[in-house]
Amino acid sequence: MDMYEKLAILAEAAKYDASCSSSGNGRSSSEGTIGAATPTGCCHSFTADGRCISLLKILMSNACVYDCKYCISRRSNDFPRATFTPREIAELTIEFYRRNYIEGLFLSSAVVGTPDWTMEHMIEALRILREEYGFAGYIHAKAIPGANPILTHRLGLLADRVSVNIELPSEKSLVSLAPDKTKHNILEPMGLIKTGIEENCEDIVKYRHTPKFVPAGQSTQMIIGASPETDYHILHLTESLYKKYGLKRVYYSAYVPLQEDSLLPSLDTRPPLLREHRLYQADWLLRFYGFEASEIIDPKRPMLHPEVDPKCSWAVNHLDDFPVEVNTADYEMLLRVPGIGVKGAKRIIRARRSQKLDFDSLKRLGIVLKRAKFFITCGGKTLQRLPETTESMLWAITSPNRIGGFTDYGMEQLSLFEPMLIKEASFECLTGEF
Ligand code: SF4
């Protein structure tokens, strides 16, 4: 099998990893056009400074000895298998880089033989790239749970970002759906990477030439909808992962049914994309808006509201805290107003030092009043009278979008994918501005 046949198999297998965007597009070039979007391995990701970069996204191998029930590469599947050599990975990356297709590499792998064997070969691929080819571009590598800690450390010295996938939101689901994996094997390398990053930050201050260890931080990925955990459970787990392991990102991946198994949702179940979207929104609230998981979600209603984003949902359940006077409210309270994001709150704080703000000045500052109007006053004046009950507020906010229900919650999914909302939803996903 030549390198490009392997690439077709291994890039296809890598697309189910959500920690960097998938390469699912298959548009080819034709006469009079320029460029082609083939399904072989290029995807986009965002660097720490917000730049969008294209990555070669591949598995080193899909010949897995594990048997995770939700995975296309599991050993019991009859499926074409391929394994790159470390040199092939390095050469492919350099070749793509020189042709200006990509700016970096996202490398993951199935478990070939043992976790140690797999990690050693991934490390060798990165060593060739860094030391022999002098490649200084971005590398995101997956650490293999269960590998020797020394190997995790060596991987961290070669990659910019390392991730260890938590896969399923509870130990019980891990035991039933990924019987070869253990909670300990997943959390141990996360802890090692966290300690390594902290020690490296101190060493860099003391010794100028200290090599960097995982400079872009670590992340993880969780599959949503393959197992029965609620959003309440998932958000509390996310919060503890951020606090305990200092993760940069938790990625959520809506489960795509690919295998028939009595323990998994049936093959005709649609991926819970809206649920994934709401979890990403809640995740932004945890990371940038000062919310605790216990404020966003209640054990009595353990799923995020399908029709409004989690910040709106919090606000309609705390009507006593509103309306907020934009000329006097503190930064933390402004951040809690639906429609005012991090940038908007900062602009308001800056602008009101020199002038009293009214609704026109808010518009000029780029504040989206469509939602904010229900929750704010400017100089004591309201633009829209605050509905008095939670139900009437919810109705007022959602009525322009009330076209249908939502698949994930037993009704038909419509409003997220209505044309007028696509732009808004995509914008929120990218910027986290609610
Ligand atoms: S370890 Fe599990 S999830 Fe990873 S490739 Fe193997 S079967 Fe798939």
Side-chain angles (χ1 to χ4, degrees):
M1 192 184 291
D2 76 16
M3 206 157 73
Y4 287 96
E5 285 170 312
K6 287 185 189 178
L7 178 62
I9 294 171
L10 294 169
E12 174 68 18
K15 79 180 185 187
Y16 298 104
D17 200 313
S19 331
C20 83
S21 318
S22 137
S23 54
N25 195 1
R27 190 183 345 99
S28 57
S29 67
S30 56
E31 209 182 324
T33 64
I34 188 165
T38 65
T40 44
C42 292
C43 72
H44 292 93
S45 189
F46 291 90
T47 59
D49 61 6
R51 276 179 312 123
C52 178
I53 55 170
S54 50
L55 301 178
L56 171 63
K57 181 180 181 181
I58 46 169
L59 294 188
M60 183 180 78
S61 173
N62 68 345
C64 199
V65 293
Y66 285 4
D67 205 35
C68 307
K69 297 196 187 316
Y70 49 83
C71 177
I72 191 106
S73 303
R74 67 178 180 168
R75 70 166 178 263
S76 54
N77 251 5
D78 183 15
F79 198 71
R81 306 286 174 170
T83 302
F84 280 126
T85 64
R87 193 155 293 279
E88 282 174 335
I89 293 171
E91 281 173 4
L92 205 58
T93 309
I94 287 298
E95 207 178 298
F96 273 43
Y97 185 79
R98 286 190 181 136
R99 290 185 198 168
N100 218 8
Y101 293 169
I102 55 152
E103 291 159 278
L105 169 68
F106 176 93
L107 181 64
S108 183
S109 182
V111 183
V112 194
T114 64
D116 282 357
W117 191 97
T118 313
M119 279 275 272
E120 277 164 13
H121 283 70
M122 290 172 74
I123 289 167
E124 178 58 9
L126 302 196
R127 188 203 64 75
I128 296 170
L129 261 177
R130 293 290 198 216
E131 294 176 8
E132 294 186 22
Y133 287 106
F135 180 71
Y138 181 82
I139 296 178
H140 179 167
K142 284 278 152 99
I144 306 294
N148 188 309
I150 294 170
L151 296 174
T152 307
H153 190 78
R154 281 176 53 202
L155 189 78
L157 290 171
L158 292 162
D160 296 278
R161 171 165 288 189
V162 174
S163 45
V164 189
N165 281 358
I166 197 147
E167 304 285 10
L168 294 160
S170 77
E171 195 170 7
K172 195 171 161 213
S173 296
L174 206 59
V175 169
S176 65
L177 296 178
D180 303 290
K181 295 181 177 171
T182 65
K183 183 179 161 191
H184 172 78
N185 281 353
I186 292 169
L187 296 183
E188 188 193 37
M190 268 190 201
L192 286 169
I193 294 167
K194 181 193 181 238
T195 313
I197 291 172
E198 285 168 357
E199 288 174 357
N200 189 244
C201 288
E202 288 170 18
D203 289 349
I204 283 172
V205 175
K206 286 190 222 150
Y207 316 106
R208 221 158 49 104
H209 296 294
T210 303
K212 286 185 179 164
F213 179 80
V214 196
Q218 65 168 326
S219 59
T220 193
Q221 180 193 337
M222 213 183 289
I223 301 168
I224 303 303
S227 51
E229 292 81 10
T230 59
D231 292 346
Y232 176 85
H233 179 97
I234 288 167
L235 278 181
H236 279 80
L237 173 63
T238 299
E239 184 176 65
S240 71
L241 288 172
Y242 282 131
K243 285 185 178 163
K244 206 162 164 197
Y245 298 101
L247 298 188
K248 282 274 185 207
R249 281 299 298 269
V250 173
Y251 290 92
Y252 307 98
S253 173
Y255 174 64
V256 182
L258 298 165
Q259 337 273 331
E260 194 79 76
D261 193 294
S262 59
L263 294 172
L264 290 168
S266 68
L267 285 179
D268 53 12
T269 310
R270 283 202 264 166
L273 294 176
L274 176 62
R275 189 176 171 202
E276 178 194 276
H277 175 67
R278 291 280 178 249
L279 283 166
Y280 273 120
Q281 290 178 318
D283 184 272
W284 276 93
L285 297 185
L286 292 178
R287 288 186 298 136
F288 299 111
Y289 286 74
F291 279 81
E292 301 275 329
S294 55
E295 293 178 283
I296 300 170
I297 195 153
D298 182 340
K300 288 192 211 121
R301 190 188 154 94
M303 301 301 275
L304 291 167
H305 202 292
E307 293 192 62
V308 288
D309 69 63
K311 187 166 142 186
C312 240
S313 179
W314 176 84
V316 296
N317 285 305
H318 292 81
L319 290 181
D320 289 349
D321 294 338
F322 296 99
V324 161
E325 171 54 51
V326 288
N327 285 292
T328 52
D330 60 24
Y331 175 72
E332 287 72 25
M333 196 59 216
L334 285 174
L335 271 186
R336 294 198 167 217
V337 176
I340 299 183
V342 174
K343 276 191 211 145
K346 284 183 180 161
R347 280 189 204 136
I348 289 172
I349 298 277
R350 245 193 331 266
R352 73 189 188 190
R353 282 188 204 130
S354 55
Q355 57 171 310
K356 196 161 180 202
L357 300 179
D358 56 22
F359 287 102
D360 283 336
S361 31
L362 287 184
K363 274 189 207 155
R364 283 196 297 276
L365 290 174
I367 305 298
V368 182
L369 291 176
K370 196 175 106 189
R371 258 175 296 175
K373 67 185 176 188
F374 294 106
F375 301 95
I376 54 173
T377 56
C378 286
K381 292 188 188 131
T382 54
L383 197 62
Q384 179 100 22
R385 199 165 63 84
L386 188 71
E388 278 159 19
T389 64
T390 300
E391 291 70 31
S392 51
M393 176 61 101
L394 264 177
W395 179 262
I397 291 170
T398 58
S399 52
N401 308 333
R402 195 176 288 278
I403 301 157
F406 297 85
T407 305
D408 307 350
Y409 300 82
M411 295 182 279
E412 195 187 351
Q413 182 159 336
L414 283 173
S415 75
L416 178 65
F417 301 103
E418 279 300 303
M420 80 177 169
L421 290 182
I422 287 175
K423 206 169 137 210
E424 190 182 325
S426 319
F427 179 77
E428 284 175 355
C429 268
L430 286 172
T431 64
E433 301 285 316
F434 302 118

